[in-house]
Amino acid sequence: MGIPTGTVMRLFLLPHKDQRQMFFCVNLDPPIKQGQTRYHYLVFSFMQEDETDLELPFTEEELKEKYEGKLEKEMKGPTFEIVSKLMKAMVNRKITVPGAFMGHSGTPAISCSYKAASGFIYPLERGFMFVYKPPIFVKFDDVQAVNFARSGGSNRSFDIEIKTRGESIYTFSSIEKDEYSRLYEFLKSKKITVKSTGKMDASKLDLSSDNIDHYAETVKADAESSDGSNNSMSSDDEDFNPDTLEAKDAKEEYDSDPSDTGSETDEGSGSGSEGEKSKRRKEKADKKAAKAARKKSSAPSERRSKTQEEDEASWPT
């Protein structure tokens, strides 16, 4: 299958999170077709340790004339580097590589899922690139807002929802919470509008401009995380912070403070030592006998007996 060099729009060279592989992505427009399927991207995977020794079928003069000296007749080195150099020279396109962003893993790759497919999202200098089923590239210039949200109620991961100016929405889910602060600060440095909600719902997102200082809110949330607050975790305008949510959710789900349960207080109500109970019973018996003598009644009424039980139950401990 031949690929016209004029259809190659972008080239990406991205390190796998395992630091052993490299992805080389080729963006095509118009896409190539196989049957009824269109492919806008070709993704090649190389092991970093694999090397290639190649001799090009051109003379030195031809290489200089055709490729302006960008290629050498004999090329040797890691396979991903050889392929990258060849493609760059042949299609005359720059290769996009990761820039300043570095994730929690020490690589620019962030593990996530898009729909049912797991992969990696790369925050580049000018856009997001997801690899690789399907490969997705979103330029920052096309981003209207990025929404951070809890991942299906989990406090150990979060989602990002990217809304473009063309009203398309891309949701990348199950991102480890340790990536939150780095990704958040990176996007803010790129002047991208960042939102946060407790529950992902595209129909209810408020994507209008806000004046919230998210960094200040994050610091405030961290400071208040231990105050036992029971405020809602899903307010649309609150800053989302997984670490804070985990601390609060742990108390909500596993409350180990006996003072909050009240079980011991309830069980102890109306109870006392056996000596105190005997004393109370004797006092009541004496009162009952005296009243019975005055009324010349041989037995206490059913109502009186019930009143006795209620009095006993309410006797202070």
Side-chain angles (χ1 to χ4, degrees):
M1 181 184 297
I3 301 175
T5 57
T7 65
V8 178
M9 297 291 104
R10 295 184 184 86
L11 300 172
F12 299 89
L13 185 61
L14 309 167
H16 192 288
K17 192 174 182 179
D18 65 10
Q19 301 186 24
R20 298 177 57 206
Q21 304 174 61
M22 295 292 289
F23 293 120
F24 184 64
C25 309
V26 181
N27 176 212
L28 305 172
D29 189 17
I32 60 173
K33 288 182 63 177
Q34 185 174 25
Q36 298 300 314
T37 307
R38 297 174 180 268
Y39 295 93
H40 288 271
Y41 284 88
L42 299 177
V43 179
F44 303 89
S45 179
F46 300 99
M47 297 300 294
Q48 291 191 24
E49 61 187 20
D50 290 348
E51 296 201 352
T52 296
D53 191 344
L54 182 66
E55 183 175 340
L56 299 178
F58 301 108
T59 65
E60 295 290 349
E61 291 75 16
E62 288 175 325
L63 288 174
K64 189 172 184 179
E65 180 183 345
K66 277 189 173 184
Y67 302 109
E68 302 175 351
K70 296 176 181 177
L71 297 176
E72 302 170 356
K73 184 173 177 62
E74 293 185 1
M75 303 179 70
K76 183 178 181 179
T79 304
F80 72 88
E81 287 187 2
I82 301 299
V83 173
S84 300
K85 288 180 180 178
L86 288 171
M87 286 293 292
K88 181 179 179 180
M90 288 189 294
V91 304
N92 197 29
R93 296 283 185 182
K94 293 182 178 180
I95 297 177
T96 300
V97 297
F101 179 81
M102 191 63 65
H104 178 73
S105 65
T107 75
I110 295 178
S111 298
C112 65
S113 296
Y114 178 72
K115 297 183 178 179
S118 60
F120 307 102
I121 189 168
Y122 295 82
L124 306 174
E125 289 303 306
R126 297 185 180 181
F128 296 100
M129 181 66 187
F130 174 76
V131 178
Y132 58 88
K133 290 184 178 181
I136 299 170
F137 178 63
V138 183
K139 293 189 295 183
F140 288 156
D141 288 344
D142 294 335
V143 174
Q144 180 179 342
V146 176
N147 181 64
F148 283 70
R150 296 174 66 183
S151 218
S154 170
N155 51 34
R156 297 187 179 277
S157 62
F158 65 95
D159 304 345
I160 60 171
E161 187 177 68
I162 301 172
K163 182 169 184 178
T164 69
R165 301 188 188 283
E167 301 303 314
S168 296
I169 295 177
Y170 301 97
T171 301
F172 300 97
S173 59
S174 302
I175 301 173
E176 294 178 3
K177 68 173 184 176
D178 292 330
E179 303 287 3
Y180 171 79
S181 59
R182 297 168 189 260
L183 181 58
Y184 184 92
E185 293 301 326
F186 178 77
L187 296 180
K188 294 297 285 185
S189 73
K190 294 297 180 182
K191 310 299 181 186
I192 293 175
T193 301
V194 181
K195 297 284 183 175
S196 43
T197 60
K199 185 175 182 180
M200 185 74 72
D201 187 344
S203 65
K204 296 180 180 179
L205 288 179
D206 178 10
L207 293 167
S208 58
S209 175
D210 71 14
N211 296 316
I212 296 175
D213 184 340
H214 286 274
Y215 180 76
E217 289 296 310
T218 302
V219 174
K220 180 180 177 182
D222 287 339
E224 294 176 350
S225 63
S226 60
D227 67 0
S229 172
N230 291 321
N231 291 336
S232 172
M233 296 295 106
S234 59
S235 175
D236 283 352
D237 293 325
E238 285 186 12
D239 182 45
F240 171 76
N241 188 317
D243 294 314
T244 304
L245 289 175
E246 182 173 23
K248 291 186 178 181
D249 285 357
K251 181 168 179 58
E252 290 174 3
E253 296 176 13
Y254 306 101
D255 193 341
S256 59
D257 185 355
S259 65
D260 291 343
T261 63
S263 58
E264 292 185 3
T265 303
D266 294 338
E267 292 173 0
S269 177
S271 64
S273 67
E274 289 299 322
E276 290 175 342
K277 291 181 180 178
S278 298
K279 183 178 179 181
R280 289 200 299 271
R281 282 197 289 268
K282 186 176 184 305
E283 290 175 350
K284 290 183 180 291
D286 292 341
K287 290 179 182 179
K288 181 176 68 175
K291 188 172 183 178
R294 287 197 302 270
K295 293 185 177 182
K296 298 181 180 181
S297 176
S298 61
S301 67
E302 181 179 348
R303 181 175 177 278
R304 176 60 184 165
S305 178
K306 182 176 180 182
T307 303
Q308 283 181 243
E309 294 174 359
E310 291 175 350
D311 288 344
E312 288 184 11
S314 60
W315 191 271
T317 57

